[in-house]
């Protein structure tokens, strides 16, 4: 607080707080010292409810009065030992940031060795470790479920992490890189580049034709030539470009929806999706376990083998051959 609180506001808070406590004490004293002369009856306030229920001007009961005094004493003691009076840190020197750091150190001492042990295990192997997956799930629920959902199936505008379509790749290294540095997927608005509304409609129909959706064949034929504007990211065949994060437009997975109106909206206005980087927040060890959990969800791809480690060309396995190279649209 002291970094953002000037001297003026420091004293403003101090004066307001101290005057308020003293004022409450004085008011309480004034309200409880008046005594009725002997023989004099308690006066009525003049308020009547339900015909005969009247309000008397009785003095405050002693138990209530002393309870109020105790609250004032408590507030004085609290402000003396804890921060609350502007820049004054309190005699205990406590702060929420300090307590957080202390708890983080305790957690690191307790759980650090566990994460360190997991860091030495390859992500693909770690994804088969039940305890590691359970820890990764807790990390996912804390840091990722807000966008991808607790079951990681995503929602409109947020990718499903359980299928086999990936913008940048679903192998362990790519998943970890995405988590560490984040991603910023940008599709520029292309309405003017495509010749206005008619061009947008034509390209939208062509895009629908790429994935076998119902479309206007004549408009799609016109849109095929205009699609060259989009090919820089999506490829001439519409199957995407992982190097750029360009989505595959030929499968049946759509991030925002596959209706003609939705596709036209994306072409006209563009899309801008950002995934925040998690490395600084989680650290390398926790990020490794989180990547293993995401990989374990079922949509991961086989680890990429370095070219120099391959002794001879091999044919792709049936599983990898059927994996579509694109991702969420």
């Amino acid at each position: 607080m002291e970094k953002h609180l000037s001297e003026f506001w420091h004293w403003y808070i101090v004066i307001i707080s101290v005057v308020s406590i003293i004022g409450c004490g004085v008011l309480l004293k004034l309200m409880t010292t008046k005594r009725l002369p002997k023989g004099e009856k308690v006066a009525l306030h003049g308020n009547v409810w339900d015909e005969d229920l009247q309000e008397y001007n009785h003095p405050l009961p002693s138990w209530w009065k002393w309870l109020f005094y105790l609250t004032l004493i408590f507030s004085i003691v609290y402000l003396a030992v804890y921060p609350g009076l502007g820049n004054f840190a309190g005699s205990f020197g406590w702060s929420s940031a300090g307590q957080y750091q202390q708890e983080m150190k305790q957690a690191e001492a307790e759980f650090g060795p566990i994460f360190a042990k997991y860091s030495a295990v390859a992500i693909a192997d770690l994804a088969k470790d039940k305890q590691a997956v359970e820890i990764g799930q807790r990390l996912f629920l804390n840091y990722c479920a807000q966008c991808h959902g607790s079951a990681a199936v995503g929602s409109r505008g947020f990718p499903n992490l359980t299928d086999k379509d990936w913008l940048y790749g679903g192998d362990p290294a790519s998943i970890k890189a995405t988590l560490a540095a984040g991603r910023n997927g940008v599709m520029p608005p292309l309405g003017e580049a495509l010749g206005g509304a008619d061009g947008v409609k034509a390209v939208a129909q062509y895009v629908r034709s790429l994935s076998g959706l119902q479309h206007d064949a004549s408009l799609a034929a016109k849109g095929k030539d205009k699609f060259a504007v989009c090919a820089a990211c999506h490829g001439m065949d519409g199957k995407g470009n992982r190097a750029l994060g360009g989505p595959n437009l030929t499968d049946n997975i759509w991030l925002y929806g596959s209706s003609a109106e939705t596709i036209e909206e994306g072409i006209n206005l563009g899309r801008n999706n950002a995934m925040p980087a998690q490395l600084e927040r989680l650290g390398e060890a926790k990020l490794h376990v989180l990547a293993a959990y995401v990989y374990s969800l079922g949509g991961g791809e086989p680890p990429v083998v370095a070219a120099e480690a391959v002794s001879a060309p091999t044919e792709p396995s049936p599983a990898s051959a059927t994996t579509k190279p694109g991702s969420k649209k």
Side-chain angles (χ1 to χ4, degrees), residues 194-210:
L194 295 175
D198 291 340
V200 169
K201 288 182 179 296
V203 171
Q205 291 299 314
Y206 176 67
V207 169
R208 283 176 59 84
S209 74
L210 290 175

Side-chain angles (χ1 to χ4, degrees), residues 6-325:
S6 67
E7 280 296 308
F8 169 78
W9 291 112
H10 162 71
W11 287 110
Y12 177 84
I13 293 172
V14 169
I15 292 171
I16 290 287
S17 301
V18 172
V19 170
S20 297
I21 293 173
I22 295 174
C24 287
V26 171
L27 179 62
L28 182 61
K29 181 67 175 176
L30 293 175
M31 295 295 292
T32 56
T33 53
K34 183 179 179 181
R35 294 284 183 254
L36 289 174
K38 283 187 177 182
E40 185 175 333
K41 293 183 179 180
V42 178
L44 288 169
H45 266 305
N47 299 321
V48 180
W49 295 274
D50 295 334
E51 298 182 358
D52 59 353
L53 182 60
Q54 302 182 71
E55 181 183 2
Y56 284 89
N57 190 19
H58 284 291
L60 297 173
S62 296
W63 68 267
W64 187 93
K65 175 183 68 175
W66 289 111
L67 184 62
F68 207 125
Y69 276 128
L70 285 174
T71 63
L72 296 178
I73 295 171
F74 172 82
S75 64
I76 295 171
V77 173
Y78 181 90
L79 292 175
V81 298
Y82 289 107
L85 290 177
N87 290 333
F88 179 62
S91 59
F92 283 2
W94 178 91
S95 70
S96 57
Q99 181 174 338
Y100 171 77
Q101 293 298 333
Q102 182 181 1
E103 292 175 355
M104 290 297 291
K105 288 180 180 178
Q106 292 174 349
E108 181 63 28
E110 182 176 355
F111 302 113
I114 299 175
F115 285 108
K117 179 185 70 173
Y118 289 146
S119 295
V121 181
I123 289 177
D125 296 329
L126 195 60
K128 302 173 185 177
D129 186 306
K130 182 179 179 181
Q131 183 184 31
V133 169
E134 289 176 352
I135 294 173
Q137 182 183 33
R138 296 188 186 100
L139 291 171
F140 182 88
L141 292 175
N142 281 329
Y143 299 103
C144 311
Q146 295 85 346
C147 294
H148 296 285
S150 59
V153 294
S155 61
R156 188 177 190 272
F158 299 100
N160 180 355
L161 304 180
T162 65
D163 61 24
K164 293 188 178 297
D165 275 340
W166 297 84
L167 280 172
Y168 297 91
D171 61 280
S174 297
I175 292 175
K176 188 173 181 179
T178 297
L179 291 171
R183 299 292 186 184
N184 191 2
V186 179
M187 173 178 169
L190 297 173
E192 293 185 8
L194 295 175
D198 291 340
V200 169
K201 288 182 179 296
V203 171
Q205 291 299 314
Y206 176 67
V207 169
R208 283 176 59 84
S209 74
L210 290 175
S211 54
L213 295 172
Q214 184 177 359
H215 60 280
D216 185 313
S218 60
L219 280 178
K222 296 178 182 178
K224 183 176 182 178
D225 293 334
K226 293 181 178 293
F227 186 77
V229 177
C230 314
C233 294
H234 297 286
M236 288 304 297
D237 56 1
K239 292 186 177 181
N241 184 339
R242 285 191 170 182
L244 300 175
N248 181 0
L249 304 179
T250 66
D251 58 21
N252 61 352
I253 296 178
W254 300 81
L255 193 58
Y256 290 93
S258 60
S259 68
E261 293 77 12
T262 301
I263 297 174
E264 289 173 18
E265 177 189 56
I267 296 172
N268 262 318
L269 304 179
R271 302 289 186 190
N272 193 341
N273 278 10
M275 173 183 165
Q278 302 293 336
L279 179 59
E280 185 176 350
R281 175 185 293 181
L282 294 177
E284 174 69 24
K286 291 181 180 178
L287 192 79
H288 193 77
V289 176
L290 177 57
Y293 172 72
V294 174
Y295 188 74
S296 75
L297 292 173
E301 301 169 352
V304 175
V305 180
E308 59 270 20
V310 179
S311 57
T314 57
E315 293 296 325
S317 65
S320 61
T322 57
T323 300
K324 297 178 180 178

